[in-house]
Amino acid sequence: EMERLRTSGGLDPARLPLADVCTAVFRRYRVEQQPDRRGKPVLLIVCDGSGSLTRDPTWMLKNITCAWLSATVGKSISILAGIYNTDTVRKGVYGFLVRWLYHPKKTPAIGRRDAVRALVALPDSGSGGQGDALSLAFMVNEAAEMARGRMIYLVHITDCGWCHSFQSGKSAKDEVYDYYQAALKEFEGKLHTTLVALGVSKETGFENLLHKVIMVDSKDLTNPSVVAEKISLYVASCMQERRKLIARR
C-alpha cells in the first residue's frame, strides 16, 4: 500500500513542484501480508539423518515418514519431506545438507506414492553430523513459501541428539529451542509443531513449548504398531479439537 505525503522515503514525482515550500514530497510503501488464495496447508516432515541415529531409529524414521506420505495421498494438503545431516555438498565442499525426499518442485517423484522409493534408497543408519537449528529454519521457510499464509504442520523426527548450527555461545539444544520459540512467534497461530523423539524415554525439554512431543522408547523402535497407535491417538484428538473449534464458529 502506497503512503503519500511522507517526509522521507522515495521521491513522489507528483509532488516535486512543491519541494521548495514543503518537505512532504516523498512516498513509502507498506507491505501487509495476507493469506494467498493459491496457498494450501502444508505438512512438513523434517527428518534427522545424522550419525547418532543407528539402525533401529532409522528404520522407525523411515516407517513413520512412509506412513505420513501415504496417508496424505489424494488429500488437498501439500506436503514436503526432507532429511538433513552434514555431507559433501559438492567437490571440495563439506557442510550442512538438506535432501528432499518429496518436494513438488525439486524432486522427480511423480506423486507421493512414488516418493516412498526415496525412503527405500536411504542408508540403514544415519551418517555425519548436523546443524539442527539451521536445517530446521531452512525447511520451515521452504514450507512457508508454499503455504502462502496458510497453516504449516511441522513434524520433526529426531533422536534429540542436537548439534550446533552457529557459533553463538549457546548449547545446541538452546539453539533449537530459541528457533522454535521465534518461529512460533513469527507465524503466530499458523505453525503447528510435533516432535517425535526416537529412543527417548525422559522429557526432552520441549514439552512446554511445542504443541506435542511424542516419545518413542528404545524398546518400541522395532514395534511400529505401538508407535502408530501413539500417533493415531494424537491425530484423532487433534481432529476432535478442530471439529469443536469449527462448531464454535
Side-chain angles (χ1 to χ4, degrees):
E1 296 179 1
M2 183 188 293
E3 296 178 334
R4 308 188 72 175
L5 303 174
R6 303 289 103 183
T7 56
S8 63
L11 283 171
D12 187 345
R15 293 189 57 79
L16 282 179
L18 301 173
D20 289 337
V21 295
C22 180
T23 58
V25 294
F26 299 92
R27 64 185 181 185
R28 290 199 299 255
Y29 290 92
R30 182 167 61 90
V31 178
E32 183 178 348
Q33 291 188 342
Q34 295 181 346
D36 192 322
R37 291 181 180 178
R38 295 170 295 173
K40 291 182 179 180
V42 174
L43 171 62
L44 172 63
I45 304 173
V46 177
C47 303
D48 180 353
S50 64
S52 59
L53 271 84
T54 54
R55 189 181 184 90
D56 287 348
T58 302
W59 183 81
M60 182 55 68
L61 181 147
K62 289 182 183 182
N63 273 275
I64 294 172
T65 306
C66 178
W68 254 303
L69 281 169
S70 302
T72 60
V73 172
K75 304 296 189 294
S76 60
I77 190 169
S78 299
I79 189 165
L80 292 174
I83 189 166
Y84 67 88
N85 66 346
T86 54
D87 207 336
T88 302
V89 179
R90 62 179 185 273
K91 188 176 181 180
V93 179
Y94 185 89
F96 302 132
L97 187 65
V98 171
R99 294 182 176 89
W100 291 110
L101 303 172
Y102 181 74
H103 191 299
K105 297 180 180 179
K106 297 183 179 180
T107 53
I110 298 171
R112 298 172 195 182
R113 285 193 180 94
D114 192 37
V116 173
R117 297 179 186 177
L119 287 168
V120 177
L122 288 176
D124 292 333
S125 58
S127 62
Q130 85 269 37
D132 296 278
L134 182 62
S135 300
L136 187 59
F138 173 79
M139 297 173 81
V140 170
N141 287 340
E142 192 79 11
E145 286 186 19
M146 184 180 294
R148 298 174 184 264
R150 306 294 177 182
M151 279 295 299
I152 301 171
Y153 298 93
L154 167 62
V155 180
H156 190 180
I157 309 173
T158 175
D159 63 348
C160 298
W162 313 112
C163 287
H164 281 96
S165 296
F166 315 104
Q167 300 299 322
S168 58
K170 301 177 182 178
S171 68
K173 179 181 177 180
D174 286 342
E175 285 183 353
V176 176
Y177 190 96
D178 288 350
Y179 171 73
Y180 268 124
Q181 199 169 41
L184 288 165
K185 183 178 180 180
E186 177 186 354
F187 293 103
E188 198 176 0
K190 296 294 183 180
L191 177 64
H192 187 280
T193 51
T194 302
L195 178 69
V196 181
L198 300 177
V200 177
S201 55
K202 58 182 180 180
E203 288 193 349
T204 63
F206 291 80
E207 282 76 10
N208 295 327
L209 176 65
L210 305 183
H211 292 93
K212 181 67 175 178
V213 176
I214 300 174
M215 289 187 290
V216 181
D217 195 273
S218 299
K219 67 179 185 298
D220 294 328
L221 288 174
T222 55
N223 194 342
S225 60
V226 172
V227 179
E229 183 180 1
K230 287 183 179 181
I231 294 173
S232 61
L233 287 172
Y234 168 58
V235 171
S237 67
C238 287
M239 291 173 67
Q240 186 177 12
E241 184 179 344
R242 186 68 180 170
R243 289 192 192 101
K244 288 179 181 177
L245 286 172
I246 293 171
R248 287 171 191 166
R249 292 175 186 173

